[in-house]
Amino acid sequence: KYFFHKDPDDNLPNCNAIYAGFPHAQSALQEFTMMQIQSSFEYLLLSSKYNTHVKNRPGFAKKFRELSDRSWNNGIDLIKHITKRGGKMEFRKVEKPRHLFEHTLELDELHSVAIVLENEKFLAKSAHHIHHSVSHANHTNHSARYDAELAHHIEEKYFEDQAETIRKFSGYANDLKHFMQEKSQVALSLYLFDEYLQKE
């Protein structure tokens, strides 16, 4: 006997991994991914600036490099999650408010930390926006946009880490602001603070 396979029925649903509210959040996820990747390069540039013989701030360089690695890993994680859910990643530039990092090489220690803090808050708000857009509380009567898995992933992967990073860098910024007010001790204060960052 010969068995012939029929052509797939055109009425069958698409055989893909897309379900729940993911299609509505895919564009925001792609944008958030690009924010993470861009931030990784921007933090790496800051790290390189402070790791030269001119600046010689290995503590600051270490902290910015850690953020660069974290943001890069976050970007990779997001790409994997997008494809796992049946989507695809589209790489496009994302404009940030107030042109963050536009003059990176001209910033001193305080302003470098302050701009990192502002960027981390921007990333946190973006993560909260995605979570809100697919959460049950926001879509009680609009189940097509509700996506429990995506909301859980964003909450589990990003919320706690970003809250801790924001807390830490806000502390750094306030300490540095205080040091800068003591004009006669700025150089020594920055040196000791950099030593502290190396050991942290």
Side-chain angles (χ1 to χ4, degrees):
K1 292 183 179 180
Y2 295 94
F3 295 93
F4 297 95
H5 294 284
K6 295 181 179 179
D7 291 331
D9 191 333
D10 290 338
N11 295 322
L12 286 175
N14 291 329
C15 297
N16 56 43
I18 297 175
Y19 65 94
F22 177 80
H24 301 286
Q26 183 173 202
S27 179
L29 277 172
Q30 292 169 344
E31 190 170 292
F32 187 50
T33 303
M34 288 307 302
M35 290 177 194
Q36 294 285 351
I37 293 173
Q38 285 177 212
S39 294
S40 176
F41 284 106
E42 289 157 350
Y43 293 152
L44 186 60
L45 182 59
L46 272 176
S47 177
S48 299
K49 171 189 173 180
Y50 287 102
N51 200 33
T52 64
H53 70 282
V54 178
K55 274 291 186 181
N56 193 27
R57 296 276 187 239
F60 283 88
K62 171 178 172 261
K63 287 299 174 184
F64 295 141
R65 181 57 185 261
E66 288 173 354
L67 282 181
S68 176
D69 291 343
R70 183 220 61 185
S71 292
W72 180 261
N73 290 333
N74 284 348
I76 298 300
D77 171 79
L78 284 162
I79 293 172
K80 288 180 178 179
H81 199 79
I82 289 170
T83 54
K84 182 178 82 171
R85 291 296 306 273
K88 62 180 181 179
M89 181 61 202
E90 292 183 4
F91 294 90
R92 58 183 182 276
K93 186 177 180 181
V94 177
E95 293 297 334
K96 294 183 179 180
R98 285 181 280 178
H99 303 289
L100 294 176
F101 299 97
E102 191 173 27
H103 304 290
T104 299
L105 298 179
E106 302 170 16
L107 300 174
D108 60 18
E109 290 83 353
L110 173 59
H111 288 88
S112 294
V113 168
I115 208 166
V116 165
L117 176 60
E118 185 175 358
N119 189 62
E120 286 298 307
K121 289 180 179 180
F122 183 66
L123 291 174
K125 288 177 182 177
S126 299
H128 278 79
H129 171 73
I130 295 171
H131 183 272
H132 179 71
S133 70
V134 297
S135 69
H136 178 68
N138 193 40
H139 295 299
T140 305
N141 299 318
H142 302 280
S143 58
R145 293 178 180 267
Y146 173 52
D147 196 312
E149 189 277 337
L150 180 56
H152 174 74
H153 182 75
I154 294 294
E155 185 174 343
E156 186 88 358
K157 178 73 178 177
Y158 301 101
F159 282 5
E160 184 176 351
D161 175 70
Q162 288 182 320
E164 178 62 24
T165 302
I166 289 169
R167 183 204 65 79
K168 188 178 293 184
F169 273 80
S170 64
Y172 295 161
N174 280 291
D175 288 342
L176 286 168
K177 187 176 180 180
H178 175 73
F179 297 153
M180 293 297 188
Q181 292 173 350
E182 302 291 335
K183 299 297 183 183
S184 61
Q185 301 291 328
V186 170
L188 177 60
S189 296
L190 287 176
Y191 172 78
L192 293 175
F193 189 72
D194 187 74
E195 289 280 305
Y196 164 75
L197 293 180
Q198 289 183 63
K199 297 173 183 177
E200 191 183 35

